[in-house]
Amino acid sequence: MKISAKWLKDYVDFEISGNNIDDIVHRLAILGFESEGVEHIKREFENFVAGKVLECVKHPNADKLSLCKVDVGTAVLPIVCGAPNAAAGQTVPVALEGAKVKDFVIKKTKIRGEESIGMICAEDELGLSDDHEGIMILDDGLVAGTPLKQLFGCEDIVFELEVTSNRADALGYLGFAREFSFMTDKELRAPEVVLEEAAERTAGNIEIEILDPGACPRYCGRVIKNIKIGESPDWLKQKLLAVGLRPINNVVDITNFVMLETGHPLHAFDLENISGRKIIVRKAKIGEKFVTLDGKELELNDRILMICDAEKPAALAGVMGGLNSGVTEKTTDVLLEVAYFNLADIRETVKFTNIHTDSSKRFERGVDPNDSEYVINRAAALIKELAGGDILSGIADCYPSQILPKKIELRLSRTEKVLGFKIDASFIVSSFNKIELAAEVKDADTLSVTVPTFRPDITREIDLIEEAVRLYGYDKIPELNISSIGLESNEDPDEELIDSLREKLRNLGLVETFSKSMVDGKYCAPFGKDPVKIEHPLNEEMNHLRNSLLLPLLLTADKNIRRKVGKINIFETGRIFYYDKGNIREKDSAAVLLTGIKSVQIWHTPETLYDFYDIKGIVTRLLNDLNVRSLEFSNENIPAYFDESQALNITSGGKIRGTFGLISKETAAVFEIRQPVFCFEASFEQINDMLSSSSTDLKELSKYPKVIKDISVLMPVSESADKVKEHIKKISGNILEDVCVADIYKGEQVGSGKKSYTFRMSFQPYEKTLSDKDIEKLLNKIINGLKNDLQLEIR
Amino acid sequence: MNDLNELKTRILDDIRSASDYAETEEKRIKYLSKKGEITLLFGKIKDIEPVNRKEFGQVINDLRDEAFEIINSLKEKYSETSSEDIDLTLPGKMPESGSYHPLNLVKDELKKIFRKMGFSVAAGPEVETEYYIFDALNMPSWHPARKVTDSLYVEKDKLLRTETSSVQIRTMEKGKPPFRIISPGRVYRNEKENATHTAMFSQCEGLYVNRGVSFSELKGTLKEFFKALYGKDTAVRFRPHYFPFTEPSAEVDVSCFKCKGKGCSICKKSGWLELGGCGMVHPKVLENVGIDSEEFTGFAFGLGIERLAMLKYGVNDIRDFTENDLRFLEQF
């Protein structure tokens, strides 16, 4: 809502200037009206005058230009003009030499060989509006040479204020002035309306019938005859221009002005076009056609409220007039409408037509049904003043069931309880009365408040408590600390695990990503789970919800590969969504992705690429750190989006708790990735199931030295290291502390189809030092075991 | 036998003469590998007269052990890089470190501060019903957010939550007051994306319901929070506002952490940053979950995590957060 300081001064005698503007902006914000912008308007019109076009002929060398001779009072100037509407006899705004039009300064010049001194201006060139349809035509009564400063010069401050959607009353100057008057402690002065009615009665000239009083509780009409449509006077034009409205003609300008002043929209019909001299307020018929003021043809339905005459619809109630019923230059008799509509009905029309107007904005929020007489009389008096004519006697007022102010009680004790501090009853009463909430003391704890109908937002006690603290000042609310409420917690059980897992993954050197939950459905296919579709997606890239966390990680990997990022080591936690037997399931999950260069070549290490053992290592480290005691892996039932030959399921208790390994070529291809990508994914539910609550059992430390021995085993390529390790453990018993693969050799020396693994065993005795003999015995036992039981060759 | 002793001396001297690691390895191969001189001596045992065999064996055994010992000690010596070889200007061998996503860094910070103030972190579904998003929160039937075109629906009456307030309703339904929770998480709107708007973003909402919870405590709580976030001299300003689910409601301005309220480009010269909305839980919302609104009062607030992160890290385009450009993420 734009508020001009100059205009506001008509209602509250308070000067806003450059000196107090910051203070005003602050105080308005504290009162609930935030400034989204403050504009200082200063229109000097230096070197602009009114001129008379004496002559206007075609330019000899240009089709679209004309040569004008313009009397500017002090001289008659030759001016080349490009506007199609230029004609002799017009009174026009002229920029003289030295005048600044937009960003350039007018100079004596030649245009296509013809001298031109000055410029005839359009409205936009004067900064009055955006209109550039032709030169602006001024009032013929003006004397040539009249400075434009006298006409349009102004200095003003215009606030762009945010009015919250509950405050319909503040969308008019008078309503806002009520608040401003409270804030500045200056009296509010509403314009007095002195109405001079003719003898002829309204009653015989217009009849009003409301067929849907639920949708239209009140409709007032007034007829003004014998008016003369013309331009508005400058004071009116200036007011409208100040808040960004383009002047049209006196009657339309007055309806706009009164809407801005009172906050109550009104409409003017040409009475000639109201067939049967009858207004019928009804819902449209299904399929009924209507053409709006701006030429849009609509096909209506039975939820749209219409203002109709005896034959046809004349306006979309509360939103916009029709093309054929409005005021034109030829209009002599007008019907003024001031109505009150049900909020929901107007919203229905706005929703259906998608037409938003200054009028619909106010009706949607709720105007005052009981200010209709004032509004209609104010407009009628102004029309008579500016356009002449006779105001017929009486208002045609259809108001079958009166809407009355509500009475609401406010308890002081309750107010204190909600606010946490006390506001004096006397302050509440006096402040409420200043903004016309009639408050009186009922008993020691209770105020009785009559809420006027222009405040539909106040319906119960809590609304009054809010008003009380708003008027008291949000800046004066004390800051109290909350007290302890004990240990009762509503902590989500997963929350701690999620954070602990994120911390561990980050400490393993991984980079955390954060991706949209919405994805292109084509990426969901590889992951099997039935994905959830979004009904009205913004675009195809966001038409489904992700059904795996690998999906966003693979998308991220692809994007970063394209950016030539060599090392991609990322993780993400978050929700995945899918259908499970018709129900939408949401699961918190975690996923890791590794691809590309693990470490670049540097003086101490050659370049290495990520491989299967990296993802296995990270998963093992992670699960160990999370206190998963006995890890089991299995390569049965590997999900199809992994490559079966390089992937493992984490299992416990016979159930799959997560999968890691190489993403299958086909899946990677969906994401246009052509390099090996290693991933891990598990849901928090799966991870949670693996966690053991037992604490670590500490091992006793031995006094005797540890012995380390290697054996190299020649085995078929298909044989797994795990099997050999398990057998060594079985044979050695407790004395074996650890066994690991220290070296792998494949090549000519061992022959094809074979590989040589060197197992490094550490033996830790607890009772004595191992002698050479003991060790030899142990080694022989192991070697024989491997030879005989597993048919392996020892090198 | 003398020959043998001579041989022993020659071999051991030769080994000792190795001047670096590689040379030592050469000596090992020369003498101790499968075809090394010492190894081959063992093959000769069978050629020695039986009476001398034991002695011969003894000598070559000792020789082998000594050779091993010398080689191992030399190797140890040469593999220890001597201090002259250290180039102090070469970079150290740094263990790898990962990074957290900036939105989660901010979220973690909020969680840390609010937990200290006695709030628990609560969670709830992201796909919700209209009841939990609109009806229970006193959202009027005409509210624009309810339009199918303004929210992301996945089924009739099932939509991606537009606020995390649904978590508040679910928490209150499950138990009895007092409640003191925050519910950081993702929310969704059917919104065209640009530098300041995205269809998915993150909120951190808070709720405290108990006997005697007041608007003043709300202001105090938020002030404490912002002091913890931005420093001791941070001020908080409330401005009246309208939300259907709270009353009285307020928008929260915080004195600009950069210019301390003097006015700069971050706060657009106002000295204040608008950082959230809040208010006293509307009695109707409490009534909707079966809480006696006369006995209990509550406050609620909501903060935008992206906004906090954009301010904190000077990020100008909100879309950068979900772009996941590693060159961006690695800086955190």
Side-chain angles (χ1 to χ4, degrees):
Chain A
M1 166 89 180
K2 280 190 169 169
I3 292 285
S4 139
K6 215 169 143 186
W7 186 349
L8 183 63
K9 208 163 171 272
D10 291 352
Y11 315 113
V12 181
D13 188 16
F14 185 88
E15 193 79 42
I16 299 174
S17 69
N19 298 327
N20 60 10
I21 189 140
D22 288 347
D23 180 50
I24 294 295
V25 165
H26 173 78
R27 286 163 69 192
L28 282 174
I30 296 301
L31 195 63
F33 302 95
E34 196 190 2
S35 302
E36 285 168 335
V38 180
E39 197 187 347
H40 293 254
I41 295 173
K42 209 169 178 181
R43 291 205 202 94
E44 300 270 17
F45 293 107
E46 214 57 70
N47 295 317
F48 284 86
V49 296
K52 300 273 181 191
V53 181
L54 302 178
E55 196 186 302
C56 180
V57 294
K58 213 176 84 56
H59 191 295
N61 306 321
D63 282 347
K64 290 188 175 164
L65 299 178
S66 46
L67 296 183
C68 299
K69 289 218 154 44
V70 186
D71 178 2
V72 294
T74 49
V76 174
L77 301 174
I79 298 175
V80 174
C81 179
N85 65 332
Q90 288 168 334
T91 305
V92 293
V94 180
L96 301 174
E97 262 189 279
K100 212 174 156 194
V101 176
K102 290 186 173 172
D103 279 331
F104 66 94
V105 177
I106 300 294
K107 276 183 264 180
K108 192 188 278 188
T109 179
K110 272 193 175 171
I111 298 170
R112 298 272 180 112
E114 294 293 329
E115 188 172 52
S116 183
I117 309 169
M119 175 179 173
I120 305 176
C121 301
E123 284 184 24
D124 68 326
E125 287 152 345
L126 296 174
L128 295 178
S129 77
D130 295 332
D131 187 8
H132 192 72
E133 270 184 32
I135 53 170
M136 188 180 180
I137 312 296
L138 301 175
D139 186 359
D140 281 340
L142 288 170
V143 177
T146 309
L148 287 198
K149 188 172 181 176
Q150 276 179 25
L151 303 175
F152 307 118
C154 77
E155 213 180 325
D156 199 356
I157 291 168
V158 177
F159 296 88
E160 179 73 56
L161 294 177
E162 187 198 349
V163 177
T164 52
S165 61
N166 57 331
R167 291 299 303 273
D169 63 306
L171 288 178
Y173 269 80
L174 281 170
F176 177 74
R178 193 184 298 121
E179 297 278 329
F180 193 70
S181 139
F182 169 82
M183 189 181 100
T184 54
D185 207 16
K186 298 269 186 195
E187 201 189 332
L188 172 69
R189 299 170 311 193
E192 229 173 278
V193 179
V194 185
L195 202 66
E196 211 183 296
E197 289 182 321
E200 189 179 353
R201 290 170 55 81
T202 309
N205 282 280
I206 193 76
E207 190 193 330
I208 290 158
E209 189 182 358
I210 299 174
L211 294 182
D212 190 339
C216 177
R218 187 176 196 185
Y219 193 103
C220 293
R222 245 193 195 287
V223 174
I224 303 130
K225 284 190 170 175
N226 308 318
I227 58 156
K228 189 175 180 299
I229 299 290
E231 266 190 60
S232 295
D234 293 331
W235 69 262
L236 178 52
K237 280 189 189 168
Q238 287 215 8
K239 281 201 157 69
L240 297 179
L241 288 169
V243 296
L245 247 59
R246 199 159 61 90
I248 294 167
N249 62 47
N250 45 16
V251 171
V252 173
D253 292 353
I254 287 166
T255 58
N256 280 331
F257 171 77
V258 175
M259 172 186 75
L260 291 170
E261 181 173 81
T262 62
H264 200 142
L266 53 170
H267 192 69
F269 295 101
D270 186 333
L271 192 62
E272 280 298 305
N273 295 329
I274 302 298
S275 99
R277 297 286 191 271
K278 187 168 182 183
I279 288 290
I280 301 166
V281 188
R282 62 165 169 87
K283 290 283 170 74
K285 292 168 193 138
I286 293 173
E288 196 167 10
K289 296 234 165 64
F290 177 70
V291 182
T292 61
L293 198 57
D294 53 2
K296 210 161 126 187
E297 196 187 27
L298 302 169
E299 195 178 313
L300 308 168
N301 65 44
D302 59 355
R303 296 190 308 278
I304 308 300
L305 186 68
M306 301 300 293
I307 310 297
C308 307
D309 62 18
E311 290 170 359
K312 59 188 184 301
L316 283 169
V319 178
M320 191 179 261
L323 185 63
N324 299 318
S325 62
V327 171
T328 68
E329 283 165 43
K330 295 180 194 124
T331 302
T332 56
D333 300 346
V334 295
L335 167 67
L336 269 182
E337 161 200 298
V338 174
Y340 173 73
F341 303 111
N342 183 316
L343 288 57
D345 286 286
I346 301 303
R347 284 181 191 125
E348 188 69 43
T349 304
V350 169
K351 193 171 149 186
F352 175 73
T353 61
N354 203 23
I355 298 173
H356 300 259
T357 58
D358 284 331
S359 169
S360 68
K361 181 176 161 189
R362 289 169 172 81
F363 281 124
E364 272 186 289
R365 297 177 182 210
V367 301
D368 184 2
N370 293 326
D371 69 355
S372 304
E373 294 101 324
Y374 178 82
V375 174
I376 206 163
N377 289 342
R378 170 79 169 143
L382 278 171
I383 289 174
K384 187 173 167 60
E385 186 187 326
L386 303 181
D390 308 307
I391 303 169
L392 303 197
S393 140
I395 298 171
D397 188 353
C398 195
Y399 194 11
S401 150
Q402 207 188 339
I403 298 164
L404 296 168
K406 278 185 288 280
K407 264 205 166 157
I408 301 171
E409 290 189 350
L410 173 66
R411 289 166 297 166
L412 299 167
S413 56
R414 178 70 185 170
T415 308
E416 185 174 351
K417 191 172 168 186
V418 171
L419 299 179
F421 65 98
K422 198 175 148 111
I423 303 178
D424 280 343
S426 60
F427 175 85
I428 296 178
V429 170
S430 73
S431 309
F432 275 16
N433 287 333
K434 279 180 194 165
I435 60 162
E436 296 171 47
L437 301 173
E440 49 189 52
V441 178
K442 191 182 167 204
D443 58 47
D445 189 40
T446 319
L447 302 180
S448 170
V449 182
T450 306
V451 180
T453 46
F454 61 76
R455 291 298 303 270
D457 57 312
I458 300 176
T459 62
R460 53 190 282 179
E461 186 183 35
I462 191 73
D463 303 316
L464 289 175
I465 294 175
E466 178 173 59
E467 279 303 279
V469 66
R470 187 175 71 87
L471 299 176
Y472 176 78
Y474 269 39
D475 52 341
K476 297 205 257 321
I477 300 166
E479 289 149 2
L480 299 179
N481 286 329
I482 50 174
S483 47
S484 166
I485 58 168
L487 271 175
E488 186 156 352
S489 168
N490 296 289
E491 185 85 17
D492 184 69
D494 271 352
E495 199 60 40
E496 216 173 307
L497 176 61
I498 294 173
D499 286 346
S500 139
L501 187 119
R502 287 177 48 232
E503 187 186 352
K504 290 175 189 0
L505 288 172
R506 181 231 180 221
N507 291 347
L508 285 168
L510 302 175
V511 177
E512 185 178 39
T513 62
F514 186 92
S515 313
K516 287 220 178 83
S517 312
M518 301 84 95
V519 292
D520 187 335
K522 72 179 181 196
Y523 297 118
C524 294
F527 303 101
K529 294 192 172 88
D530 188 8
V532 177
K533 201 169 171 245
I534 293 172
E535 280 186 345
H536 303 279
L538 283 164
N539 52 49
E540 292 310 300
E541 282 168 35
M542 295 195 236
N543 59 10
H544 281 74
L545 294 174
R546 58 192 187 191
N547 59 350
S548 161
L549 267 192
L550 296 180
L551 198 167
L553 287 188
L554 286 163
L555 286 172
T556 296
D558 173 49
K559 277 193 279 185
N560 282 287
I561 290 167
R562 285 170 201 275
R563 290 180 191 122
K564 307 267 182 266
V565 175
K567 177 188 179 104
I568 298 169
N569 55 340
I570 51 181
F571 76 97
E572 184 156 336
T573 59
R575 294 269 165 89
I576 61 167
F577 307 81
Y578 56 91
Y579 279 104
D580 180 22
K581 297 182 193 107
N583 297 316
I584 296 172
R585 298 284 299 268
E586 286 182 37
K587 288 213 163 153
D588 277 313
S589 300
V592 174
L593 179 147
L594 307 173
T595 189
I597 300 165
K598 182 186 183 188
S599 55
V600 292
Q601 184 190 338
I602 194 159
W603 58 274
H604 54 74
T605 354
E607 175 179 294
T608 51
L609 300 178
Y610 279 115
D611 62 23
F612 172 80
Y613 302 107
D614 290 309
I615 193 74
K616 188 174 182 184
I618 281 180
V619 170
T620 314
R621 165 91 284 143
L622 176 73
L623 296 176
N624 276 339
D625 286 356
L626 283 171
N627 214 14
V628 173
R629 282 283 156 234
S630 51
L631 267 183
E632 287 169 41
F633 298 128
S634 137
N635 68 343
E636 280 164 29
N637 301 319
I638 301 290
Y641 44 96
F642 280 101
D643 181 334
E644 217 184 358
S645 69
Q646 285 196 45
L648 288 172
N649 283 324
I650 305 159
T651 60
S652 78
K655 280 192 178 158
I656 296 174
R657 312 291 189 190
T659 308
F660 63 87
L662 177 67
I663 291 295
S664 76
K665 268 213 172 81
E666 296 73 28
T667 304
V670 172
F671 295 87
E672 294 179 38
I673 299 175
R674 304 191 203 297
Q675 66 190 49
V677 184
F678 302 92
C679 287
F680 158 65
E681 183 179 37
S683 73
F684 279 91
E685 197 178 62
Q686 289 174 317
I687 297 170
N688 232 329
D689 286 345
M690 287 187 280
L691 304 186
S692 88
S693 51
S694 66
S695 56
T696 313
D697 291 326
L698 277 181
K699 246 190 287 179
E700 186 198 344
L701 302 180
S702 173
K703 290 181 283 201
Y704 306 101
K706 185 187 281 186
V707 176
I708 294 171
K709 287 284 167 195
D710 289 355
I711 52 169
S712 292
V713 180
L714 199 60
M715 49 197 221
V717 176
S718 59
E719 200 65 82
S720 80
D722 255 8
K723 194 167 156 192
V724 180
K725 271 162 73 174
E726 286 311 311
H727 204 68
I728 294 174
K729 277 185 200 166
K730 204 174 108 192
I731 297 167
S732 324
N734 288 338
I735 199 158
L736 180 77
E737 190 186 56
D738 188 30
V739 52
C740 66
V741 178
D743 195 17
I744 297 176
Y745 181 77
K746 281 180 219 168
E748 277 173 28
Q749 289 197 23
V750 294
S752 66
K754 298 242 165 144
K755 58 188 178 183
S756 163
Y757 274 28
T758 304
F759 291 90
R760 177 157 297 162
M761 301 161 292
S762 20
F763 301 104
Q764 178 63 68
Y766 281 84
E767 277 131 28
K768 59 166 195 168
T769 305
L770 291 177
S771 68
D772 287 356
K773 245 198 191 128
D774 293 333
I775 295 165
E776 208 180 309
K777 228 168 108 188
L778 200 52
L779 280 177
N780 281 334
K781 206 167 122 194
I782 291 168
I783 287 165
N784 288 332
L786 293 177
K787 272 185 184 161
N788 302 334
D789 305 339
L790 300 182
Q791 280 76 47
L792 297 174
E793 225 176 297
I794 309 301
R795 290 176 77 205
Chain B
M1 217 30 76
N2 277 348
D3 292 351
L4 196 58
N5 279 330
E6 248 170 62
L7 179 70
K8 184 179 165 187
T9 314
R10 180 180 60 78
I11 289 174
L12 293 180
D13 283 350
D14 185 43
I15 292 173
R16 282 190 195 101
S17 74
S19 65
D20 61 19
Y21 192 95
E23 227 174 279
T24 314
E25 177 65 8
E26 273 170 33
K27 304 288 183 201
R28 185 190 70 80
I29 292 164
K30 185 175 172 191
Y31 297 110
L32 293 170
S33 66
K34 269 188 183 164
K35 296 199 170 123
E37 274 182 49
I38 297 175
T39 316
L40 291 176
L41 285 176
F42 283 90
K44 287 184 180 156
I45 292 180
K46 60 179 192 301
D47 304 334
I48 304 294
E49 289 166 41
V51 65
N52 292 331
R53 269 186 203 167
K54 195 180 169 193
E55 200 191 343
F56 182 81
Q58 191 69 52
V59 172
I60 59 172
N61 253 334
D62 288 352
L63 172 61
R64 186 187 61 178
D65 289 353
E66 266 184 71
F68 258 123
E69 216 167 284
I70 294 165
I71 284 169
N72 282 343
S73 74
L74 279 176
K75 276 193 173 175
E76 213 168 291
K77 180 177 150 194
Y78 293 133
S79 68
E80 264 174 39
T81 315
S82 56
S83 56
E84 299 96 87
D85 289 345
I86 294 272
D87 179 348
L88 293 170
T89 64
L90 283 176
K93 299 178 186 174
M94 251 203 299
E96 248 190 317
S97 87
S99 60
Y100 286 124
H101 191 279
L103 292 180
N104 282 338
L105 279 172
V106 170
K107 203 163 96 179
D108 289 346
E109 199 173 354
L110 303 195
K111 290 201 301 202
K112 198 169 100 190
I113 299 170
F114 280 119
R115 275 182 174 137
K116 277 187 194 165
M117 295 169 88
F119 287 81
S120 326
V121 180
E126 291 179 26
V127 177
E128 270 289 10
T129 61
E130 287 176 346
Y131 174 77
Y132 285 102
I133 297 179
F134 302 131
D135 302 340
L137 286 156
N138 194 32
M139 199 82 100
S141 59
W142 48 264
H143 201 279
R146 281 181 175 252
K147 275 197 274 179
V148 179
T149 47
D150 280 26
S151 307
L152 293 167
Y153 278 78
V154 297
E155 279 177 24
K156 189 174 165 26
D157 191 32
K158 285 223 172 79
L159 65 157
L160 287 160
R161 65 184 183 196
T162 55
E163 317 256 354
T164 57
S165 318
S166 50
V167 179
Q168 303 181 355
I169 301 295
R170 285 182 179 276
T171 304
M172 288 194 285
E173 266 183 356
K174 272 187 292 189
K176 285 199 174 111
F179 301 106
R180 198 187 277 175
I181 56 157
I182 55 165
S183 53
R186 295 164 181 237
V187 296
Y188 304 83
R189 308 268 166 93
N190 197 6
E191 198 154 22
K192 271 232 168 71
E193 308 209 322
N194 57 37
T196 49
H197 295 88
T198 43
M200 184 198 89
F201 53 99
S202 321
Q203 275 187 340
C204 178
E205 292 194 28
L207 170 80
Y208 175 33
V209 177
N210 202 352
R211 288 185 186 83
V213 175
S214 71
F215 205 34
S216 309
E217 282 177 314
L218 169 59
K219 198 173 179 188
T221 301
L222 289 175
K223 182 166 178 173
E224 282 306 309
F225 165 74
F226 282 111
K227 272 165 69 179
L229 194 68
Y230 290 137
K232 273 200 173 106
D233 48 358
T234 305
V236 165
R237 180 174 89 167
F238 271 18
R239 274 183 293 104
H241 203 74
Y242 169 69
F243 305 113
F245 30 84
T246 51
E247 182 141 31
S249 305
E251 281 195 315
V252 187
D253 292 341
V254 177
S255 58
C256 179
F257 58 87
K258 189 91 180 186
C259 63
K260 304 286 171 213
K262 285 188 209 84
C264 66
S265 62
I266 287 185
C267 58
K268 297 194 187 109
K269 304 243 181 296
S270 72
W272 296 98
L273 297 167
E274 188 184 319
L275 290 182
C278 67
M280 297 301 291
V281 180
H282 200 288
K284 228 174 182 170
V285 174
L286 294 176
E287 289 153 18
N288 285 342
V289 291
I291 293 174
D292 182 348
S293 67
E294 277 291 310
E295 185 180 357
F296 292 98
T297 49
F299 66 62
F301 56 84
L303 307 164
I305 292 176
E306 277 80 0
R307 169 126 168 97
L308 294 172
M310 286 170 89
L311 288 168
K312 178 165 184 174
Y313 300 112
V315 173
N316 294 320
D317 192 328
I318 191 170
R319 290 168 295 193
D320 289 351
F321 290 124
T322 47
E323 188 54 33
N324 290 322
D325 187 331
L326 285 175
R327 296 166 302 177
F328 171 76
L329 295 179
E330 277 163 355
Q331 297 177 51
F332 293 94

